[in-house]
């Protein structure tokens, strides 16, 4: 690669958006953008105010985007991911990977996410080797802060930037494309239903406020800089979805044409007559030629450096926020963790407003611990309502007024009021009948004494000792007990009380390790104080193998009686006997009910209900069959270590004590991908894959010589 500078590199201009009333010129000129031109010699050229300011020779392919500071440009050339550093004196660009299908820069850091053709998601930073963060994913996208990512892995997932703490957001559509809006408020996805209908779906990052925008093709999703519009292919033509009007604009641009937003209401598109700019501000959708310097021709790819949006489609979610009083401050950010037992949560703070109205945007996020007061309030549509801990959800946006003026200290601050975008009820409408509380009988701390009874499975297998200790005093009289303590031996299996969706919550100081099942019946079952100790110890250091069922993730669907994890004494239960603090919370009335009456009538299971996988793998005569999740791969011994969910000889049966099984794969052996003709060798397997294997036992109950196996990658 050779570089030719025809003007000083200098600092890159920012592309400003013209006002809607401005007269349009006969041709369009973009202040700063990059193009790749094809021909006898392919070149990457930087164009500023109509002049070529830098030329980098021998670069071909498609421009994927600029790094936030304009210094680096990512280019995809026949599967090769190339990163061009415009200030480097090195003649050769950095080749990150040679087997890439898509990539995207972080909006806040110098990191890059990319997906290879094996659908593995990697994270790369200049000067460091790429790191695998998700074994099966496509269409990655960053939030506006760069601290979280969303991606498609059959379903829509959201996680922290390193792939940790994944949560499933949409699980009833097969997601093929995702895109996070530039303002960070929404995620757009292209998903296909079981009926084969493909549509554009929008939702908040916490999964609420879901909305379908109608049928589309399986195409890219391109947000406008203002987050007001989406460019998506529908019926093989690029269409623009206007969020404010909930309507589509037909551009007439064929879906085969390359397109890019170059302003909040302007699109650059490649046509048979060259590159044109379409202005959506006019009813006629007028187009004007995009002007290039005379030396630039045969442009095959184009990308503007940056765009500043000067209009949005809706008011900011916290635009109605009032100035805090003296001795108070308002912080804005996102909810990081929630501890319902401690009635507290953590906010990752992005900005702080003090009582004189000064707003400070933090260069580095700070985590603030927040506790509820009896009179904590929620602001909603100009009115105030009692705010309860279950109204606060992980990854939700929040603007909170706190009793204090210093953020990020070691002390927790009291919550006075908060604005949380979205409607108050973020839970699904019940699909099965269960009696709901009388709202007139709800007490000050969101509890009711009504003796409600509905069908559940007892949360602890073989039962447990418990009493009617609902609303007993706790914390020296500072709070009341909102559930029942189910006393059982440590590591006793816990099961789902009813059908629903799992949410694995981040560890709380009082609740410890816990999860909840958001039920189809309008209730949420909460399981707290789950195990956090290694076997035979009280060290608070075990990994999830001794806490949750193998492979269990937020967003997973479970049925009543399905294995969830183990009884323990984490959180503030360290000084008590092991038990599960069990709560039932009404998602309709927004209050805790007394579980005691339903527990009295509950079905007690001798063992968890096992959900056998649909598989073509079958055990032969005398062979062992194993089902579980890959936790380790030992290439030197051709061994796959499996955390077992089920095993047996004549068929699979549930295994609910922590069990690891060693599967020896023959040299050169192939493992099938479920519902596909694709095959993997052991080097291509990843931790977290679900596996079913059959073969002869080598050591009873611990290892086998694999004859055939099948994996699922999500």
């Amino acid at each position: 690669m050779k570089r030719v500078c025809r003007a000083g590199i200098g600092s890159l201009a920012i592309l400003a958006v013209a006002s809607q009333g401005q007269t349009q010129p006969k041709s369009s000129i973009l202040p700063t953008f990059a193009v790749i031109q094809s021909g006898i010699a392919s070149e990457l050229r930087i164009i500023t105010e109509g002049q070529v300011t830098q030329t980098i020779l021998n670069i071909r392919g498609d421009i994927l985007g600029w790094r936030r500071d304009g210094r680096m440009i990512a280019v995809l050339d026949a599967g090769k991911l190339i990163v061009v550093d415009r200030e480097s004196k090195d003649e050769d660009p950095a080749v990150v990977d040679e087997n890439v299908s898509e990539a995207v820069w972080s909006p806040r850091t110098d990191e890059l996410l990319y997906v290879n053709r094996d659908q593995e998601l990697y994270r790369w930073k200049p000067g460091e080797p790429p790191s695998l963060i998700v074994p099966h994913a496509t269409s990655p996208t960053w939030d506006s802060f760069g601290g979280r990512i969303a991606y498609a892995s059959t379903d829509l997932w959201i996680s922290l930037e390193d792939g940790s703490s994944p949560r499933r957001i949409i699980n009833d559509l097969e997601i093929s494309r995702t895109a996070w809006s530039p303002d960070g408020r929404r995620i757009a996805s292209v998903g296909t239903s079981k009926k084969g209908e493909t549509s554009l779906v929008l939702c908040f990052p916490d999964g609420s406020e879901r909305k379908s925008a109608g049928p589309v093709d399986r195409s890219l999703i391109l947000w406008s800089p203002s987050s007001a519009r989406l460019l998506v292919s529908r019926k093989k033509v690029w269409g623009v979805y206007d969020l404010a009007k909930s309507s589509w604009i037909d551009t007439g641009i064929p879906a085969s044409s390359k397109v890019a937003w170059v302003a909040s209401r302007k699109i650059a598109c490649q046509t048979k007559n060259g590159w044109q700019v379409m202005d959506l501000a006019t009813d006629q959708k007028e187009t004007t030629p995009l002007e290039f310097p005379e030396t630039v021709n045969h442009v095959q790819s184009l990308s503007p450096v940056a765009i500043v949006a000067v209009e949005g489609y809706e008011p900011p979610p916290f635009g109605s926020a009032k100035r805090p009083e003296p001795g108070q401050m308002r912080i804005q950010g996102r909810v990081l963790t929630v501890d319902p037992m401690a009635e507290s949560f953590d906010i990752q703070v992005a900005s702080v407003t003090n009582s004189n109205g000064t707003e400070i945007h933090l260069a580095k996020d700070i985590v603030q611990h927040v506790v509820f007061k009896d009179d904590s309030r929620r602001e909603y549509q100009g009115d105030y309502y009692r705010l309860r801990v279950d109204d606060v959800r992980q990854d939700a946006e929040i603007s909170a007024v706190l009793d204090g003026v210093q953020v990020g200290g070691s002390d927790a601050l009291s919550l006075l009021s908060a604005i949380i975008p979205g409607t108050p009820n973020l839970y699904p409408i019940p699909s099965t009948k269960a009696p709901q509380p009388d709202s007139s009988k709800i007490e000050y701390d969101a509890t009711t004494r009504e003796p409600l009874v509905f069908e559940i499975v007892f949360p602890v297998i073989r039962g447990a000792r418990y009493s009617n200790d609902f609303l007993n005093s706790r914390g020296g009289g500072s709070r009341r007990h909102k559930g029942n303590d189910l006393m059982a031996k440590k590591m006793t299996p816990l099961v789902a009380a009813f059908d629903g969706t799992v949410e694995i919550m981040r560890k709380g100081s009082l609740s410890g390790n816990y999860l909840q099942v958001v039920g189809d019946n309008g209730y949420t079952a909460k399981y707290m104080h789950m195990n956090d100790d290694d076997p035979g110890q009280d060290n608070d250091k075990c990994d999830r193998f001794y806490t949750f069922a193998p492979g269990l993730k937020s967003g997973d669907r479970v049925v009543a009686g399905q294995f969830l994890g183990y009884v323990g004494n984490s959180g503030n239960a360290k000084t008590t006997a092991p038990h599960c603090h069990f709560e039932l919370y009404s998602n309709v009335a927004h209050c805790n009910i007394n579980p005691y009456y339903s527990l009295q009538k509950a079905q007690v299971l001798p063992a968890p209900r096992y959900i056998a996988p649909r598989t073509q793998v079958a055990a032969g005569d005398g062979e062992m069959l194993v089902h579980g999740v890959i936790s380790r791969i030992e290439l030197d011994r051709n061994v796959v270590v499996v955390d077992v969910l089920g095993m047996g000889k004549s068929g699979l049966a549930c295994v609910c004590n922590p069990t690891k099984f060693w599967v020896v794969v023959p040299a050169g052996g192939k493992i099938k991908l479920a519902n596909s003709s694709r095959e993997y060798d052991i080097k291509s397997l990843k931790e977290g894959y679900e596996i079913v294997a059959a073969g002869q036992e080598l050591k009873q109950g611990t290892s086998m010589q694999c004859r055939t196996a099948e994996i699922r990658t999500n």
Side-chain angles (χ1 to χ4, degrees), residues 347-373:
I347 299 177
Q348 190 166 7
V349 184
S351 67
V352 180
T353 302
N354 58 30
S355 60
N356 64 15
T358 302
E359 184 175 6
I360 302 170
H361 291 267
L362 306 182
K364 184 177 181 180
D365 290 340
I366 292 175
V367 175
Q368 177 63 54
H369 189 56
V370 179
V371 295
F372 279 80
K373 297 179 63 179

Side-chain angles (χ1 to χ4, degrees), residues 3-283:
R3 301 164 187 271
V4 180
C5 290
R6 301 182 182 174
I9 295 175
S11 59
L12 293 175
I14 300 296
L15 176 59
V17 180
S19 63
Q20 298 178 25
Q22 184 175 339
T23 303
Q24 297 297 318
K26 296 182 179 180
S27 61
S28 295
I29 299 176
L30 305 182
T32 303
F33 61 103
V35 301
I36 291 181
Q37 65 175 30
S38 59
I40 299 175
S42 294
E43 299 175 344
L44 171 66
R45 293 191 171 191
I46 312 301
I47 301 171
T48 302
E49 299 292 350
Q51 300 294 320
V52 176
T53 55
Q54 188 177 13
T55 298
I56 303 170
L57 305 179
N58 302 321
I59 292 291
R60 57 180 58 85
D62 290 320
I63 301 172
L64 297 176
W66 297 67
R67 198 173 75 174
R68 64 189 177 103
D69 59 0
R71 173 175 169 173
M72 292 185 176
I73 304 172
V75 176
L76 187 63
D77 179 15
K80 185 183 295 185
L81 177 58
I82 300 170
V83 173
V84 178
D85 185 343
R86 299 179 56 231
E87 297 182 9
S88 173
K89 296 181 180 180
D90 192 344
E91 290 292 323
D92 296 318
V95 178
V96 179
D97 200 316
E98 297 188 353
N99 188 30
V100 175
S101 59
E102 54 188 325
V104 58
W105 285 105
S106 165
R108 196 172 181 185
T109 68
D110 57 356
E111 294 176 323
L112 187 73
L113 290 178
Y114 73 87
V115 176
N116 65 17
R117 290 181 177 173
D118 292 327
Q119 296 190 341
E120 296 169 328
L121 177 57
Y122 283 83
R123 179 182 173 201
W124 176 79
K125 188 174 183 179
E128 298 179 7
S131 58
L132 176 67
I133 60 172
V134 181
H136 180 81
T138 59
S139 192
T141 179
W142 296 86
D143 76 344
S144 57
F145 292 106
R148 294 174 294 171
I149 61 173
Y151 54 88
S153 183
T154 303
D155 304 319
L156 174 62
W157 293 81
I158 182 174
S159 73
L160 300 182
E161 59 186 327
D162 60 358
S164 63
S165 300
R167 297 193 306 111
R168 200 183 321 233
I169 302 299
I170 295 178
N171 61 5
D172 58 344
L173 297 173
E174 182 181 343
I175 304 299
S176 55
R177 287 288 178 181
T178 66
W180 213 311
S181 62
D183 63 8
R185 294 207 60 209
R186 285 175 174 79
I187 300 175
S189 304
V190 172
T192 304
S193 68
K194 293 180 180 179
K195 296 181 180 180
E197 299 169 342
T198 301
S199 59
L200 176 66
V201 178
L202 299 103
C203 66
F204 282 0
D206 64 1
S208 65
E209 302 296 308
R210 178 169 160 178
K211 174 184 178 181
S212 175
V216 295
D217 303 330
R218 289 191 174 212
S219 79
L220 291 172
I221 305 172
L222 301 174
W223 281 97
S224 69
S226 62
S227 302
R229 299 168 190 84
L230 285 156
L231 188 60
V232 186
S233 169
R234 55 199 306 261
K235 298 180 180 179
K236 298 183 179 181
V237 174
W238 286 107
V240 175
Y241 182 73
D242 189 312
L243 274 72
K245 299 177 181 177
S246 296
S247 62
W248 287 90
I249 301 171
D250 184 1
T251 67
I253 304 170
S256 57
S257 298
K258 294 178 181 178
V259 293
W261 287 99
V262 293
S264 294
R265 293 173 180 260
K266 293 182 180 180
I267 303 168
C269 56
Q270 189 181 34
T271 71
K272 61 182 179 181
N273 297 321
W275 283 85
Q276 303 279 323
V277 173
M278 177 176 289
D279 189 349
L280 300 176
T282 62
D283 293 336

